Amino acid sequence: MAEVVRPGGIGEQLALVAGLRWRLFRNALRTTSGQLDLAAQILVGALLGAIVVGLGLAIGAGAYAFAAQDRTGLLALLLWATFLAWHFLPILMATSTASFDFRSLLRFPLRFSVFFLLSLAYGLSDPAVVAALFWLICAGLGIVLARPELLPWTVVILAVFATMNLLLSRMIFSWLERLLARRRTREALAAILVLLILGFQLSTAVGARWQTRVRPYVRAALPVLQQLPPSLAGKALAGAVKGDALQALRFTGFVAAYGFAFGLLLRRRLRAQYLGEDLGESQAPAVVLRASGSPTASLSSASLAPSYLPGAVAAVFEKELRYVLRNSALLLLLAIPLILIVFFSLTFGSRRPGGSAPDIFTRTPELAFPGAVAYMLLILGQMAHNSFAYDGRGVQLLFVAPVRFRDVLIGKNLLLGLLVLLEACLVWLLISVLASPPDVLVVVATFSYVLFFLLTHFLVGNWLSLRFPRRFEFGQHRRRASGVTLLVSFGLQFVLAGMAAGVVLLARLWGWMWLVPVVFLALSAAALEVYKVSLDAFDRLAARQREVLTAQLCRQ
Amino acid sequence: MSEPAIVTESLTRRFGELVAVDCIHLTVDAGQFFGFLGPNGAGKSTTIRMLTGLLAPTAGRIRLLGLDLEKHAVEVKRQIGVVPEGLALFDRLTGGEYLNFVGRMYALDRATAAQRTAELLDFMQLADRPKTLIADYSHGMQKKLALAAAVIHGPRILFLDEPFEGVDAIAAGTLKAMLLHMISRGATIFLTSHVLEIVERLCSHVAIIHKGRLVAQGSLEELRAGVASSASLGSSPGEASATAGPREKLTLEQIFLTIVEPGASGRRAEEELSWLR
């Protein structure tokens, strides 16, 4: 009966995998949580889509103008923009997009060609790549609308450029995956990603501040940049616009050669995976450290929690603290607001050479401290919204142990609260040292807002954590929070920031600045009462949600 | 007579249309080494998850050590230890930190938790890796650690879901030694396992669940006698009883197959899956 087993065609296998993905998507919608998740994603997608379309129109208009006015040299700039978006946005958005490990399909008799094509298709399904591709199409449309006779050349050059980008992005990710497979390199990489995000935020400031110093380096790098694919594709387009077919063909060939080289490197990586390379966590070498004496007893008895806390609360607090101390990306996240304060004070701390722009901290001293704290809260507040993410299968213990879930939540909230307050104190110290100590009223008002912010975030965060839990692997390229959590989180930040702005504006209008701390202390007292009452409700919610929590967090 | 350790009354769990556990009446006396058996998907894990508070029953009652699990959840949990299917480990702690954490969650004071942690790590031969994270433990080491965590507070009932799955002979020997020691000190152990030889060697009493229903319960001798008498009456023509001679003892595997699928061994795989090489 072996004759029924025949090697499936490439198209057939690809269709099967597409069908599988569709089935997985449909099945995920069976639960209310899955449906809400999709609705939230559609909403967020619509918002982001509007931004993408707007930028696409701008790129298209730019391409139209450059082609119509024969300013062909500038076309390369548009290609550079899409190139950078194509390769950096997926990395920056890695933690907020869903992923499917198509390597799990390798247990089936999949041809290597299909596996290779699946990798490329997977690359195309990334929302950030879809956006970059859309911008490239917009650029092409702009050129063709300006010069219809360039349609064939534009299609060919941009298709080659897009293929090269696709191969390069998959190559980068396939090598990243290899690094991500090992726990230690994975964490290092997560830290690098956070730094990259930080660098992204600082790039404008660096450009503005050190324009004159950066310029020579940019000038020196230009010849190198000229040899890279976006510039080459730009030259190919310029050749087409000028009617120089040889130039267009030659530079298109160079871009294709890049694509071929990236394809070979990608093939090498995928071939290793196809032949059974194990990218599992087990590859991480366990470091066995033997210490003399009785290390176990000393390690276990070393307490990180205050002794006056009740047993279960102290245990959870201590466990959470150990998790924070072992999470390099999280530690870096905690350090970012402090780094930024130092950076801004060094960058804008003195008058610009030859300019008259005043010191940012001395110009608006009353805003420096609350502004820095607000930025810190923006980063750290979200940590309360998926607080079981790192617990994984350990969440089972929280249900079988003789503790009330309210104690677990208090332990988690307490640690985050203390971290935020400690960080706020450090921010105050830095501002005081680098600029001048903020006014007492400003400090009291800011801390009273922090208190209110924390309590409301604990209230909403505890509900979100129990209702929409998502497992998160340290530094892994996996989705972090549910769509609903992201949406509610965004909304809460918006509402709280609006409230703060409203209260401050009214206080300023009436000249009663003392009103700000009074209002937020009163709101904090009310929020504290609600928080206390909510703990019992969350205790009951946890009991109802135990199946969801264990199912979501224990899955491998 | 002392209170039974575990009693369930009409215990039922439905998942939508599926009835995973169907009106189970189970009694386990204190001090018993109790094996809970059943084919895949029979409802073993669902039952043990309900007994340990990881899953809410749709209907029915659970009494552990005379206390209602729903009404006295915290008091009951204080007296039971659990090794669930996922092992309930926090991967980013070391073995010592984890045991210490569990000890504190079970209301042990710091000093006691630290002392028992050291003793348990030593007994489980995990003490020589004090700085290794649980994520870097092998599967067998994780199982041993999960068992150590389940007993750190000296529970009166221990629930184990497949404790010997994926464990090598050396680790299994360590686990068995500890369990037998607990039984000798009066604890009750309730375990599920697919390894019938181990259950036969360790357990004094057994219950078999099939398609969500309890189809047998009693001591091994009682089950043997039941199967043998059924076979002699011809009401359950299992091949197992037929192959075992009149003086030969039925193995647990034979009892299990006879009860769960009478005549199953008569099924001809070669006829049903004719395309298999």
Side-chain angles (χ1 to χ4, degrees):
Chain A
M1 295 286 173
E3 63 273 15
V4 295
V5 179
R6 57 185 171 74
I10 291 177
E12 195 180 340
Q13 290 192 329
L14 283 174
L16 273 172
V17 175
L20 169 77
R21 294 292 296 131
W22 171 245
R23 183 61 55 191
L24 288 172
F25 171 73
R26 290 258 321 256
N27 291 348
L29 296 180
R30 285 183 186 178
T31 60
T32 316
S33 167
Q35 290 162 3
L36 284 171
D37 216 14
L38 179 70
Q41 280 182 53
I42 290 172
L43 217 64
V44 173
L47 282 171
L48 291 176
I51 297 171
V52 168
V53 170
L55 284 171
L57 288 175
I59 288 173
Y64 178 89
F66 297 154
Q69 296 163 16
D70 274 349
R71 295 164 71 185
T72 51
L74 293 175
L75 283 173
L77 279 181
L78 297 176
L79 297 182
W80 266 106
T82 53
F83 176 82
L84 292 173
W86 195 309
H87 300 291
F88 282 102
L89 284 183
I91 295 174
L92 297 177
M93 291 171 68
T95 52
S96 61
T97 49
S99 71
F100 167 69
D101 188 1
F102 65 91
R103 286 191 310 269
S104 60
L105 298 169
L106 274 176
R107 65 178 183 276
F108 301 114
L110 214 62
R111 293 169 174 211
F112 177 68
S113 49
V114 174
F115 184 60
F116 192 91
L117 285 174
L118 275 175
S119 167
L120 295 184
Y122 177 64
L124 273 178
S125 68
D126 192 311
V129 170
V130 171
L133 199 60
F134 174 73
W135 293 331
L136 210 55
I137 292 169
C138 287
L141 279 174
I143 296 169
V144 171
L145 283 176
R147 305 278 295 272
E149 73 277 12
L150 294 179
L151 176 67
W153 273 117
T154 308
V155 170
V156 170
I157 294 166
L158 292 185
V160 170
F161 184 62
T163 310
M164 182 281 306
N165 274 320
L166 183 60
L167 289 165
L168 174 61
S169 66
R170 290 314 300 153
M171 188 203 77
I172 291 171
F173 266 91
S174 64
W175 284 95
L176 273 181
E177 271 177 335
R178 187 175 160 76
L179 293 171
L180 287 169
R182 290 173 187 271
R183 184 163 51 76
R184 284 168 204 284
T185 47
R186 199 164 67 198
E187 280 175 38
L189 209 70
I192 291 169
L193 288 185
V194 176
L195 282 175
L196 200 67
I197 295 168
L198 183 64
F200 220 72
Q201 294 183 24
L202 296 179
S203 56
T204 326
V206 171
R209 170 68 176 153
W210 286 307
Q211 222 174 45
T212 46
R213 286 191 216 171
V214 168
R215 204 171 285 159
Y217 293 105
V218 173
R219 216 170 273 149
L222 271 179
V224 180
L225 296 178
Q226 291 289 330
Q227 307 308 317
L228 295 180
S231 298
L232 296 173
K235 284 176 187 170
L237 280 175
V241 172
K242 284 186 291 185
D244 187 345
L246 197 64
Q247 180 185 336
L249 202 61
R250 188 155 57 97
F251 285 105
T252 308
F254 288 150
V255 177
Y258 265 110
F260 185 70
F262 296 143
L264 283 180
L265 287 169
L266 173 64
R267 187 183 182 281
R268 188 180 154 189
R269 192 83 288 287
L270 292 180
R271 191 78 196 163
Q273 288 180 13
Y274 185 75
L275 293 175
E277 180 185 54
D278 180 19
L279 290 176
E281 168 104 89
S282 56
Q283 264 199 342
V287 179
V288 183
L289 297 172
R290 289 164 194 273
S292 57
S294 176
T296 325
S298 63
L299 246 181
S300 307
S301 57
S303 174
L304 300 175
S307 55
Y308 51 81
L309 287 179
V313 176
V316 173
F317 180 92
E318 192 170 324
K319 179 238 139 203
E320 291 290 308
L321 183 54
R322 288 190 196 280
Y323 262 52
V324 169
L325 294 174
R326 289 191 176 128
N327 190 341
S328 47
L330 202 57
L331 286 175
L332 202 61
L333 212 61
L334 288 170
I336 281 181
L338 306 176
I339 296 171
L340 280 177
I341 290 168
V342 175
F343 177 84
F344 277 110
S345 74
L346 292 178
T347 308
F348 301 107
S350 56
R351 287 168 189 282
R352 293 180 187 184
S356 57
D359 181 341
I360 190 170
F361 288 141
T362 51
R363 188 173 58 177
T364 51
E366 75 279 12
L367 287 183
F369 178 59
V373 169
Y375 181 78
M376 176 200 80
L377 294 176
L378 193 71
I379 292 177
L380 301 186
Q382 55 182 312
M383 283 167 65
H385 299 167
N386 191 16
S387 53
F388 299 100
Y390 294 110
D391 288 340
R393 56 186 173 156
V395 77
Q396 287 180 317
L397 183 85
L398 305 178
F399 285 110
V400 298
V403 293
R404 294 188 63 190
F405 225 79
R406 53 175 291 151
D407 289 345
V408 175
L409 293 172
I410 290 173
K412 283 175 178 280
N413 293 163
L414 202 58
L415 178 77
L416 182 58
L418 282 178
L419 281 177
V420 169
L421 287 174
L422 182 72
E423 183 112 342
C425 290
L426 287 174
V427 169
W428 172 83
L429 192 70
L430 273 178
I431 299 259
S432 300
V433 171
L434 295 169
S436 59
D439 187 71
V440 177
L441 188 62
V442 170
V443 174
V444 175
T446 307
F447 272 100
S448 58
Y449 175 73
V450 170
L451 212 58
F452 174 61
F453 176 96
L454 281 173
L455 286 163
T456 44
H457 270 256
F458 291 156
L459 269 169
V460 177
N462 288 343
W463 179 75
L464 285 172
S465 302
L466 291 171
R467 194 69 184 75
F468 304 100
R470 287 289 184 277
R471 181 187 166 97
F472 182 60
E473 287 291 343
F474 286 82
Q476 208 169 2
H477 177 48
R478 289 269 166 86
R479 189 169 163 170
R480 178 179 295 199
S482 83
V484 179
T485 301
L486 289 173
L487 204 63
V488 173
S489 193
F490 177 74
L492 182 65
Q493 297 269 19
F494 189 75
V495 168
L496 289 183
M499 276 179 79
V503 171
V504 171
L505 280 177
L506 280 179
R508 274 200 160 191
L509 196 69
W510 297 330
W512 297 345
M513 286 313 286
W514 52 266
L515 196 66
V516 181
V518 170
V519 167
F520 283 113
L521 281 174
L523 285 172
S524 300
L528 183 64
E529 286 309 309
V530 178
Y531 177 79
K532 281 198 261 183
V533 173
S534 77
L535 286 171
D536 285 331
F538 287 138
D539 207 47
R540 292 190 293 275
L541 178 63
R544 287 199 301 275
Q545 284 290 104
R546 60 191 143 175
E547 283 170 61
V548 177
L549 278 156
T550 49
Q552 279 287 345
L553 302 173
C554 297
R555 64 169 57 157
Q556 291 298 314
Chain B
M1 198 171 164
S2 65
E3 184 90 36
I6 304 167
V7 178
T8 70
E9 292 165 16
S10 308
L11 187 63
T12 303
R13 175 67 208 204
R14 292 192 192 89
F15 294 101
E17 297 291 303
L18 176 80
V19 184
V21 173
D22 193 2
C23 203
I24 279 184
H25 295 269
L26 187 75
T27 304
V28 179
D29 286 328
Q32 280 185 356
F33 204 136
F34 196 89
F36 195 56
L37 312 176
N40 289 331
K44 296 188 300 295
S45 288
T46 305
T47 305
I48 210 168
R49 284 171 65 203
M50 286 193 283
L51 291 176
T52 55
L54 278 169
L55 192 66
T58 311
R61 284 178 67 195
I62 299 168
R63 291 177 69 81
L64 300 179
L65 300 164
L67 293 169
D68 188 286
L69 178 61
E70 198 188 341
K71 286 182 189 154
H72 306 279
V74 173
E75 290 84 345
V76 170
K77 286 175 182 178
R78 209 168 274 147
Q79 302 187 63
I80 67 172
V82 187
V83 178
E85 207 174 1
L87 301 181
L89 298 171
F90 287 99
D91 290 336
R92 280 306 169 108
L93 297 180
T94 65
E97 288 165 358
Y98 177 68
L99 288 183
N100 205 43
F101 169 68
V102 175
R104 302 295 315 284
M105 292 291 274
Y106 279 90
L108 297 182
D109 61 69
R110 283 182 196 281
T112 311
Q115 186 204 332
R116 290 189 185 180
T117 292
E119 285 177 23
L120 282 165
L121 287 176
D122 201 40
F123 180 81
M124 294 291 185
Q125 293 151 24
L126 297 169
D128 60 341
R129 308 185 87 176
K131 290 189 179 176
T132 304
L133 297 184
I134 295 170
D136 291 332
Y137 275 19
S138 69
H139 184 68
M141 289 167 73
Q142 292 190 355
K143 275 259 156 110
K144 288 199 285 186
L145 184 68
L147 183 59
V151 301
I152 194 167
H153 57 296
R156 290 173 65 193
I157 308 177
L158 184 60
F159 291 94
L160 308 166
D161 197 355
E162 297 288 350
F164 301 103
E165 197 178 48
V167 173
D168 67 32
I170 302 166
T174 310
L175 300 187
K176 277 186 254 174
M178 167 174 265
L179 299 180
L180 289 171
H181 177 71
M182 286 182 70
I183 286 290
S184 71
R185 302 286 294 267
T188 306
I189 297 177
F190 183 99
L191 71 81
T192 71
S193 180
H194 282 116
V195 191
L196 297 180
E197 292 84 359
I198 291 180
V199 174
E200 189 169 12
R201 213 174 308 144
L202 292 176
C203 298
S204 56
H205 291 72
V206 167
I208 298 175
I209 185 172
H210 184 43
K211 294 179 181 168
R213 287 181 164 273
L214 207 60
V215 290
Q217 185 180 186
S219 70
L220 277 170
E221 285 314 315
E222 284 168 352
L223 292 187
R224 265 189 202 110
V227 169
S229 66
S230 302
S232 64
L233 288 171
S235 59
S236 178
E239 195 177 289
S241 53
T243 51
R247 284 165 186 273
E248 225 174 298
K249 253 185 164 182
L250 286 172
T251 63
L252 182 57
E253 186 179 349
Q254 287 169 323
I255 296 169
F256 179 80
L257 288 174
T258 307
I259 291 172
V260 169
E261 278 201 327
S265 50
R267 186 185 284 174
R268 297 279 173 269
E270 64 269 25
E271 283 171 18
E272 293 186 9
L273 305 172
S274 54
W275 44 268
L276 260 183
R277 287 169 201 264

